[in-house]
Amino acid sequence: MGLLNIISSIKDRAEKFLNEKNVVTDILGKMEEKTGIKKKVIALGAVSLTGLYLVYGYGASLLCNLIGFVYPAYYSVKAIESPCKEDDTKWLTYWVVYGVFSLGEFFSDIFLYWFPFYYAFKCLFLLWCMAPMSWNGSQIIYNKVVRPVFLRHEATVDNMVSDLGGKAMSAAENLTREGKTGTGPPLGSFTEDLNMYILPLSLFSLLSPDHSGEE
């Protein structure tokens, strides 16, 4: 029964998407007018060809990343523009999991590249993470893995962000002061030192609770 509910939910979401007014449905509508084939059949054929291409085609990595980015990005923008905050949380959760997965993939790509049908499985994983159901992949991974790890190290990350912020402000003040007096090391060298603090600060600021609380 659970599997039937999943299939029914995916089917309903797909039909809802095909009935919406957007670039994809406009293209499918024009193809339906010219060929006489229903856009549902065209969409199903396109999905099947995409699956085959992910298994056998060249450039499967790019196609897989587009699938994992374009659809969620589209609905993330719609979520931002809607007054409801529940969908905002849903897509923020997806992007957090997507970022963690991409980071892990970056360091293990040299091994995963040789895994048979890797990009097909990756695409299925991303589709599971964005699936229109309450227990999709992003919700499970976030609640079981990402959230416990974050809460365990939240205080450490906050202290690190605060420390980096103080060092960056101090470096900026020194740069301004020495720029006025004409003393101190060359500007290029000082800029490199400043970037050493600012770049990590930018990364940790994105992960900090204060940043996410502004949404």
Side-chain angles (χ1 to χ4, degrees):
M1 188 65 179
L3 181 60
L4 293 177
N5 288 336
I6 294 172
I7 295 174
S8 177
S9 177
I10 294 174
K11 181 181 177 182
D12 293 341
R13 187 61 179 266
E15 290 181 352
K16 181 181 178 181
F17 177 80
L18 291 175
N19 291 327
E20 290 179 351
K21 182 69 175 177
N22 52 61
V23 177
V24 176
T25 54
D26 288 344
I27 295 174
L28 292 175
K30 292 179 181 178
M31 294 177 66
E32 182 179 10
E33 292 177 1
K34 292 183 178 180
T35 62
I37 303 174
K38 292 184 178 181
K39 59 184 179 181
K40 292 182 180 180
V41 177
I42 297 174
L44 181 60
V47 171
S48 301
L49 289 175
T50 301
L52 290 173
Y53 187 85
L54 286 170
V55 175
Y56 301 107
Y58 177 77
S61 174
L62 175 61
L63 179 60
C64 184
N65 289 331
L66 286 175
I67 292 173
F69 174 79
V70 174
Y71 177 86
Y74 172 75
Y75 274 97
S76 294
V77 174
K78 293 191 68 173
I80 293 172
E81 296 300 326
S82 70
C84 178
K85 294 301 179 184
E86 183 177 351
D87 50 359
D88 294 9
T89 303
K90 171 187 173 181
W91 290 112
L92 279 172
T93 303
Y94 171 83
W95 289 117
V96 169
V97 173
Y98 181 85
V100 172
F101 174 79
S102 298
L103 185 63
E105 184 186 36
F106 175 80
F107 291 104
S108 58
D109 183 63
I110 188 172
F111 305 105
L112 296 175
Y113 178 79
W114 299 101
F115 188 78
F117 311 129
Y118 167 69
Y119 291 111
F121 285 110
K122 176 184 175 180
C123 187
L124 289 175
F125 169 77
L126 293 176
L127 289 173
W128 175 53
C129 286
M130 68 178 80
M133 48 192 178
S134 59
W135 53 275
N136 62 15
S138 59
Q139 294 289 337
I140 293 175
I141 294 173
Y142 178 81
N143 290 324
K144 298 293 185 181
V145 180
V146 178
R147 187 172 184 271
V149 172
F150 174 78
L151 293 178
R152 193 179 305 123
H153 301 285
E154 182 178 7
T156 303
V157 173
D158 288 345
N159 292 333
M160 190 178 299
V161 170
S162 177
D163 183 53
L164 288 173
K167 291 180 179 179
M169 290 297 296
S170 177
E173 291 175 357
N174 291 336
L175 177 63
T176 303
R177 187 182 306 112
E178 294 179 4
K180 291 180 179 180
T181 59
T183 61
L187 181 59
S189 174
F190 204 94
T191 302
E192 292 177 0
D193 294 339
L194 182 61
N195 287 336
M196 181 178 66
Y197 296 116
I198 292 178
L199 293 178
L201 175 63
S202 301
L203 174 61
F204 286 110
S205 295
L206 293 174
L207 299 175
S208 67
D210 294 337
H211 182 273
S212 58
E214 294 175 0
E215 300 293 335

